[in-house]
Amino acid sequence: MADFNSIYESKKKSAPEALKLIRNGDAVMTALGAAEPMELLKNIHNIADYGTKGVDITNCLPMYEYDFIANAKPDIITNSAWFFSGAQRKAAKAGNMHISYVPQHLHGAGLRRMYAMREDGRRMVLLASCSPMDEHGFLSLSLSATYERLLVDDGATIIVEVNSQMPRTFGDVTIHISEIDALVETDYAPPQLPHVPSTENDEKIAAYVAERIENGSTIQLGIGGIPNALANGLKNHRHLGIHTEMLTDNMVDLVLCGAVDNSQKTLYKHKTIGTFAMGSQKLYDFINNNPSVMLKNGSWVNDPAVIGQNHKMQSINTTLEIDLFGQCASESIGPMQFSGSGGQVDTAVGAQRTKGGHSFICLYSTAMVKNAQGERGMISKIAPMLKPGAVVTLSRNDVDYVVTEYGIVNLRGRSLKERAERLISIAHPDFKDELKFHVKKHPEIY
Ligand code: COA
């Protein structure tokens, strides 16, 4: 039997040494969200000291304001992001031209970026985190299977942190020591998401959704106050299943209270399926060494054709603004990128392909925003028209249920006139007259 420990030892390096494997013009992809290798990323801007330049880093939902994001050195490192987090919003707003968003659905993410970079003749490098090696020489890519394994299979240069605190997970996360080019040993807790307490409005919205979810359904939930409230509202349901993009704390609660047993799933019965995990230590402890949880490639988990094979699939997501046609601007405020498409379209479209399946788009009826004079005021998130330049994430053709704290309406199969009426019925009372006036003034549109 091969001596995997010797192979492991031969690949061990310090972070600066490992980063020297990155060459001029490389296309680096980092593991997603909480799976990102923080020690390597906190040091990567130092490649400038070795004379390396022209490197592009593609990442998704970075959990920290790394120097390479905050401080522009465009000739050294550019940052292409397919889901903005706060650090990137801040840098983009400050006019850092080295940051740019990559439009794509989650199910195509990774692959499409990889092919685009290859088309430009760039060498691919993956920076990822792993749990420690087992006696057979295998490590786990731990908290994300979204695209990381695809890069290993495609022959990218693989540099990993072996972090003693990363959970060992199952699915498309297994990597052998022979596939790794360099490793850096680290020991820190994976980044955690703070708990978002639910508000009264979250609970109202969640109640409208929960009463439409039947026992035995398969669910996908996003993050934030509304999904947390919904998870609470589903605690008395039975035989629910999980097939989701992101595994979160609230899914652990649903398993532990007996609402989720995955017994009626049509795909991977008895397994909780996700493509990445992000939450608190409670989630990371739950998935560690847990064979009932599988992290699978995002290109499979989020493929609408795959989602559409599930039993009574229910997709629950949120949006920033919706117009009276039902177009959802979920990732930008006007033209400014706020987050990303993620899997919103994948899951909404996939869910509607299943018998008894639905997509729910949830939003508060209003938001508090600053006007040009810097004063904060209330606006309606249900608007006659989206803000100029806003990006439509979910098209009007694909929207199904829309929910605010004032009610729930179904737009599927409804005319423009019916949609406008229904959306106005769940708008904040202070804005209803304005919205009705717009429709009355423009009969040619509706
Ligand atoms: N006009 C202007 N600003 C608005 C607005 C509107 N219509 N709606 C919200 N905002 C502002 C809020 O005031 C808030 O600003 P603040 O940060 O200064 O307080 C900010 O935008 C965020 O709004 P919020 O409602 O708190 O959004 P969120 O943090 O809950 O994120 C999405 C919601 C839509 C951005 C997020 O769910 C997303 O990215 N969705 C698309 C991807 C997806 O659905 N993936 C699948 C699930 S994982």
Side-chain angles (χ1 to χ4, degrees):
M1 190 155 116
D3 179 0
F4 298 124
N5 286 328
S6 312
I7 302 173
Y8 181 98
E9 287 302 319
S10 71
K11 297 186 176 188
K12 209 155 89 180
K13 294 189 189 306
S14 66
E17 283 297 318
L19 290 168
K20 281 186 185 160
L21 296 187
I22 297 175
R23 299 188 206 144
N24 288 346
D26 277 354
V28 174
M29 280 183 85
T30 77
L32 179 149
E36 67 188 3
M38 298 182 83
E39 184 65 23
L40 289 168
L41 295 178
K42 283 179 181 172
N43 280 287
I44 197 163
H45 58 281
N46 293 324
I47 58 172
D49 300 344
Y50 325 132
T52 311
K53 53 188 181 191
V55 171
D56 182 75
I57 302 180
T58 303
N59 57 359
C60 176
L61 212 47
M63 305 291 285
Y64 184 80
E65 197 172 353
Y66 298 105
D67 186 279
F68 79 87
I69 296 174
N71 298 312
K73 292 186 193 82
D75 49 333
I76 312 290
I77 296 178
T78 49
N79 179 204
S80 306
W82 57 270
F83 204 102
F84 266 25
S85 64
Q88 287 158 323
R89 280 199 284 279
K90 193 169 144 195
K93 212 168 177 177
N96 285 359
M97 292 291 290
H98 71 305
I99 294 189
S100 194
Y101 176 74
V102 184
Q104 52 191 345
H105 299 304
L106 187 135
H107 82 269
L111 274 179
R112 288 190 186 176
R113 183 69 186 159
M114 199 159 85
Y115 294 152
M117 293 290 96
R118 286 249 190 269
E119 211 172 275
D120 292 348
R122 300 179 82 143
R123 192 182 75 128
M124 298 298 303
V125 177
L126 172 70
L127 301 183
S129 301
C130 289
S131 62
M133 185 175 78
D134 67 15
E135 69 269 32
H136 306 290
F138 288 103
L139 304 89
S140 144
L141 288 158
S142 191
L143 293 176
S144 179
T146 315
Y147 49 79
E148 293 77 2
R149 182 65 231 184
L150 295 174
L151 279 132
V152 181
D153 294 338
D154 200 57
T157 297
I158 309 297
I159 307 174
V160 301
E161 282 182 25
V162 179
N163 182 343
S164 50
Q165 297 191 43
M166 290 306 267
R168 179 169 175 262
T169 56
F170 298 99
D172 298 329
V173 280
T174 307
I175 181 168
H176 194 261
I177 186 65
S178 57
E179 296 173 306
I180 292 171
D181 294 285
L183 66 92
V184 177
E185 285 188 334
T186 51
D187 179 21
Y188 57 83
Q192 302 190 21
L193 285 184
H195 174 71
V196 183
S198 303
T199 63
E200 206 182 316
N201 283 345
D202 292 334
E203 276 159 25
K204 284 184 187 163
I205 292 171
Y208 289 123
V209 178
E211 68 185 28
R212 278 164 183 80
I213 296 183
E214 293 173 17
N215 288 332
S217 295
T218 307
I219 56 170
Q220 171 268 327
L221 295 177
I223 48 167
I226 297 172
N228 287 348
L230 179 58
N232 236 347
L234 291 175
K235 280 192 171 154
N236 293 322
H237 278 60
R238 284 297 169 264
H239 308 305
L240 296 174
I242 294 176
H243 181 107
T244 194
E245 165 186 328
M246 173 168 164
L247 286 172
T248 57
D249 280 18
N250 54 46
M251 296 176 188
V252 179
D253 297 337
L254 286 172
V255 173
L256 296 181
C257 76
V260 165
D261 63 9
N262 293 308
S263 64
Q264 303 202 3
K265 284 179 85 180
T266 37
L267 290 176
Y268 282 99
K269 204 184 271 291
H270 304 303
K271 301 267 187 212
T272 291
I273 298 291
T275 190
F276 65 94
M278 204 146 60
S280 73
Q281 195 59 42
K282 175 171 80 174
L283 171 69
Y284 305 149
D285 290 342
F286 178 77
I287 62 175
N288 184 38
N289 262 327
N290 185 342
S292 76
V293 180
M294 299 264 283
L295 293 181
K296 302 278 295 164
N297 280 333
S299 58
W300 182 82
V301 173
N302 264 42
D303 182 340
V306 170
I307 294 172
Q309 294 168 39
N310 277 302
H311 183 58
K312 290 188 199 162
M313 184 77 211
Q314 313 296 328
S315 147
I316 299 100
N317 290 308
T318 51
T319 195
L320 293 167
E321 188 177 37
I322 184 167
D323 68 13
L324 292 179
F325 299 145
Q327 303 188 94
C328 301
S330 310
E331 64 189 88
S332 77
I333 298 177
M336 289 297 288
Q337 193 66 37
F338 183 83
S339 53
S341 306
Q344 181 162 120
V345 178
D346 296 341
T347 55
V349 169
Q352 291 176 70
R353 289 187 185 175
T354 71
K355 193 163 175 236
H358 300 109
S359 147
F360 299 90
I361 292 292
C362 305
L363 71 164
Y364 291 175
S365 64
T366 59
M368 294 298 289
V369 301
K370 280 189 188 157
N371 63 18
Q373 288 72 45
E375 299 150 350
R376 264 172 101 79
M378 190 167 85
I379 59 154
S380 176
K381 292 178 69 146
I382 298 178
M385 304 273 166
L386 298 177
K387 290 185 211 350
V391 174
V392 173
T393 306
L394 192 65
S395 92
R396 64 186 191 175
N397 297 351
D398 295 322
V399 72
D400 189 21
Y401 280 103
V402 180
V403 199
T404 72
E405 68 275 25
Y406 292 102
I408 179 164
V409 291
N410 193 345
L411 303 186
R412 188 146 59 151
R414 293 289 162 186
S415 70
L416 296 182
K417 198 180 292 301
E418 290 166 332
R419 284 167 180 239
E421 280 163 9
R422 286 179 175 219
L423 286 167
I424 293 170
S425 76
I426 59 166
H428 189 283
D430 290 2
F431 295 98
K432 282 189 176 177
D433 285 347
E434 198 180 300
L435 292 166
K436 281 181 192 160
F437 180 75
H438 166 83
V439 175
K440 211 168 162 193
K441 201 173 156 205
H442 293 289
E444 75 285 6
I445 296 178
Y446 301 95

